[in-house]
């Protein structure tokens, strides 16, 4: 087999890259180790920055999002059981976010690739990368019981945190930066109307809570939990009771509860790998970085990586100019670190830290008071939340 760009990973990063390259006359093959059904079974966040919304529309993948997505002009921060509205549209001079599940984005991307006869090989296992430092790299993998070889010009490592791509960069070249948070998020999905029209980020003495949604009858809720906790330790009723204890009175009183259709715990970490490129390999999305979900930046950072990488590959094939490929890592990392900072800041602001007794607790409360009382602080938060420019 031969293609111009071999893409490892059939999540949102890999699929969006494949779609954009196709629309610009560049061939690609996506190798996904799981089945499409398995990939679509993952429950992920659902706040899209305008940059990603624009990319999906330009990539002819925005139709369902425009029908089913919800434009949000702000969200609430609950502190000391008072509610403070953050009017993103006012604070940013008109910018908003789109609430639309990542699972739906991924579903739309698979559908679009199928419609355009894209080559997405699912259940492609044992992918190995070869000759990265040459002009003729290639991948080997097993598919439908056969060992196959995929010759290409470039390899996009879109295979997430646990993929093979990042591990193909030599240890003496790769630098990894990581912060693991001392807690996790216990999340549930319930077929109930959301408690509020907008998201509620809640700081409470018992720990963080978040009220989100997927549509008018599908709600997503989270409570901060300890790292050694297990989802099976929580009955639905225990979850609902704890969530109510962490919400302002009005939300607690109006919360509509119901059976969970999904319940899981996710750990929180900040992680960045540098550089994001090595020879003919380019990392994008979770393969290169992980953010705590507090700032809803995971998918949106993958989008800006794909923006930079797709523009670089288009320049290479259309103008025979590989300058943007050479500067991809440097350019992408500038935006990655800004989103990393914001996600760390929002996580630090809203969660209960065991070691935060005394001084740390006072600083956190002061930071919250400053945000609530200062339009300048709110403008800074808002421009990061809606997404800094690409
Ligand atoms: N070979 C082929 N595919 C692989 C391999 C491999 N060795 N390892 C991982 N994959 C696949 C995974 O099965 C997954 O479907 O790569 C895909 C990576 O997708 P994601 O993990 O969703 O990462 P990405 O596409 O970068 O999307 C980032 O996903 O994890 C969330 O919060 C994150 O919203 C962000 C988004
Ligand atoms: C979600 O809907 O899952 C979600 C929304 C906002 C976040 C994190 C998760 O900051």
């Amino acid at each position: 087999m031969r293609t111009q760009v071999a893409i490892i990973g059939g999540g949102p990063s890999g699929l969006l890259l494949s779609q954009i390259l196709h629309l610009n006359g560049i061939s690609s093959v996506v190798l996904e180790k799981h089945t499409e059904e398995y990939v679509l079974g993952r429950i992920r966040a659902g706040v899209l920055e305008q940059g990603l919304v624009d990319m999906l529309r330009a990539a002819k993948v925005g139709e369902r999002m425009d029908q089913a997505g919800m434009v949000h002009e702000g969200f609430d921060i609950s502190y000391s059981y008072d509610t403070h509205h953050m009017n993103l549209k006012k604070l940013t001079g008109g910018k908003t976010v789109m609430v639309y599940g990542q699972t739906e984005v991924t579903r739309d991307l698979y559908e679009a690739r199928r419609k355009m006869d894209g080559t997405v090989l699912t259940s492609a296992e044992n992918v190995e990368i070869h000759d990265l430092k040459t002009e003729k790299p290639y991948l080997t993998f097993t598919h439908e019981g056969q060992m196959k070889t995929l010759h290409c010009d470039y390899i996009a490592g879109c295979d997430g945190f646990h993929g093979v791509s990042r591990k193909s960069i030599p240890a003496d070249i790769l630098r990894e930066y990581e912060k693991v948070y001392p807690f996790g998020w216990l999340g549930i999905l319930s077929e109930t109307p959301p408690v509020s029209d907008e998201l509620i980020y809640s700081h409470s003495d018992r720990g963080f809570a978040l009220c989100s949604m997927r549509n008018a009858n599908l709600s997503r809720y989270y409570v901060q939990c300890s790292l050694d906790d297990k989802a099976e330790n929580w009955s639905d009723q225990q979850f609902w009771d704890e969530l109510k204890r962490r919400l302002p009175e009005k939300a607690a009183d109006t919360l509509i509860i119901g059976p969970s259709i999904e319940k899981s715990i996710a750990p929180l970490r900040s992680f960045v790998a540098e550089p994001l490129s090595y020879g003919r390999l380019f990392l994008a999305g979770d393969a290169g970085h992980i953010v705590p979900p507090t700032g809803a930046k995971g998918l949106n950072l993958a989008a800006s990586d794909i923006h930079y990488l797709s523009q670089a590959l288009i320049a290479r094939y259309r103008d025979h100019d590989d300058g943007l490929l050479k500067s991809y890592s440097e350019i992408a990392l500038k935006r990655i670190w800004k989103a990393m900072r914001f996600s760390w800041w929002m996580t630090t602001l809203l969660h209960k830290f065991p070691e935060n007794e005394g001084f740390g607790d006072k600083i956190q409360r002061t930071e919250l008071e400053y945000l609530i009382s200062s339009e300048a602080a709110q403008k800074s938060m808002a421009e990061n939340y809606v997404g800094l420019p690409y």
Side-chain angles (χ1 to χ4, degrees):
M1 291 174 75
R2 172 149 184 62
T3 191
Q4 289 172 304
V5 181
I7 300 172
I8 309 174
S13 295
L15 294 167
L16 181 57
L17 177 61
S18 179
Q19 180 74 357
I20 295 170
L21 293 179
H22 171 79
L23 293 171
N24 285 275
I26 299 167
S27 68
S28 66
V29 171
V30 178
L31 301 181
E32 164 54 48
K33 73 175 180 183
H34 289 301
T35 63
E36 180 178 336
E37 183 188 14
Y38 180 93
V39 173
L40 294 176
R42 294 179 185 131
I43 303 293
R44 294 278 171 71
V47 174
L48 312 186
E49 294 173 356
Q50 192 60 47
L52 173 53
V53 169
D54 294 344
M55 282 179 78
L56 291 171
R57 287 172 179 157
K60 304 184 187 316
V61 191
E63 190 179 343
R64 225 161 55 93
M65 172 190 68
D66 285 329
Q67 287 165 359
M70 297 166 280
V71 175
H72 279 210
E73 298 185 358
F75 60 82
D76 286 342
I77 287 185
S78 164
Y79 168 54
S80 293
Y81 299 98
D82 286 336
T83 300
H84 308 274
H85 188 242
M86 298 291 135
N87 186 333
L88 297 171
K89 189 170 185 178
K90 175 174 169 285
L91 290 162
T92 61
K95 293 182 181 176
T96 58
V97 291
M98 174 80 80
V99 172
Y100 184 64
Q102 176 178 316
T103 303
E104 301 317 308
V105 172
T106 309
R107 191 191 314 282
D108 296 343
L109 283 163
Y110 268 104
E111 191 51 44
R113 291 282 63 226
R114 233 189 314 275
K115 271 185 190 163
M116 295 185 183
D117 297 327
T119 309
V120 179
L121 302 182
T122 54
S123 304
E125 299 176 319
N126 309 311
V127 172
E128 290 186 18
I129 299 173
H130 306 272
D131 291 357
L132 264 184
K133 295 290 277 183
T134 72
E135 293 184 359
K136 296 184 183 306
Y138 65 95
L139 302 179
T140 53
F141 61 99
T142 50
H143 188 247
E144 294 170 347
Q146 286 188 321
M147 174 75 132
K148 295 182 179 175
T149 300
L150 176 60
H151 296 281
C152 56
D153 299 329
Y154 298 98
I155 297 168
C158 301
D159 47 350
F161 185 69
H162 301 289
V164 292
S165 299
R166 189 177 66 252
K167 296 165 190 159
S168 303
I169 298 179
D172 62 336
I173 288 176
L174 189 68
R175 296 181 304 283
E176 295 182 331
Y177 304 87
E178 184 171 45
K179 176 179 180 59
V180 177
Y181 296 90
F183 41 73
W185 278 16
L186 167 63
I188 72 162
L189 208 52
S190 61
E191 288 172 332
T192 53
V195 69
S196 165
D197 293 341
E198 295 181 328
L199 275 57
I200 303 174
Y201 290 85
S202 181
H203 171 284
S204 86
D205 293 340
R206 300 179 66 88
F208 172 77
L210 172 60
C211 303
S212 185
M213 63 199 75
R214 292 292 176 270
N215 60 49
N217 198 42
L218 191 59
S219 297
R220 180 71 167 158
Y221 295 103
Y222 300 95
V223 295
Q224 174 185 346
C225 65
S226 66
L227 269 179
D228 54 9
D229 210 339
K230 293 186 177 3
E232 52 267 28
N233 293 344
W234 291 71
S235 69
D236 286 0
Q237 195 56 54
Q238 285 170 321
F239 179 91
W240 293 123
D241 292 344
E242 185 58 35
L243 177 65
K244 287 181 180 178
R245 293 187 194 107
R246 301 187 187 190
L247 295 180
E249 192 175 347
K250 178 171 178 283
D253 291 347
T254 55
L255 180 71
I256 297 174
I257 69 172
S260 60
I261 58 174
E262 194 273 346
K263 191 188 295 178
S264 56
I265 289 181
L268 276 70
R269 80 172 76 233
S270 299
F271 173 85
V272 181
E274 293 187 1
L276 294 177
S277 62
Y278 178 72
R280 291 295 177 103
L281 172 67
F282 298 85
L283 305 183
D286 275 15
H289 44 76
I290 296 285
V291 283
T294 326
K297 290 300 168 200
L299 179 58
N300 292 300
L301 260 189
S304 48
D305 289 352
I306 295 306
H307 168 79
Y308 299 129
L309 184 53
S310 59
Q311 292 302 307
L313 288 163
I314 292 163
R316 160 64 182 78
Y317 284 105
R318 185 187 56 203
D319 312 328
H320 308 291
D321 174 1
D322 65 356
L324 288 178
L325 282 174
K326 286 177 179 162
S327 56
Y328 163 73
S329 178
E330 183 188 354
I331 292 169
L333 282 167
K334 280 192 184 346
R335 191 174 192 273
I336 288 163
W337 275 109
K338 287 176 183 161
M340 209 53 63
R341 181 207 68 83
F342 175 69
S343 302
W344 162 84
W345 173 79
M346 226 169 145
T347 303
T348 305
L349 180 74
L350 294 168
H351 289 77
K352 186 178 178 64
F353 284 75
E355 76 282 2
N356 237 12
E357 299 306 320
F359 181 79
D361 183 57
K362 293 295 282 182
I363 288 294
Q364 184 186 62
R365 292 177 185 279
T366 304
E367 186 77 24
L368 277 159
E369 295 287 353
Y370 175 55
L371 177 64
I372 287 162
S373 60
S374 160
E375 187 178 43
Q378 291 170 23
K379 282 187 173 182
S380 172
M381 179 280 299
E383 73 167 358
N384 282 278
Y385 191 89
V386 300
L388 296 176
Y390 284 7

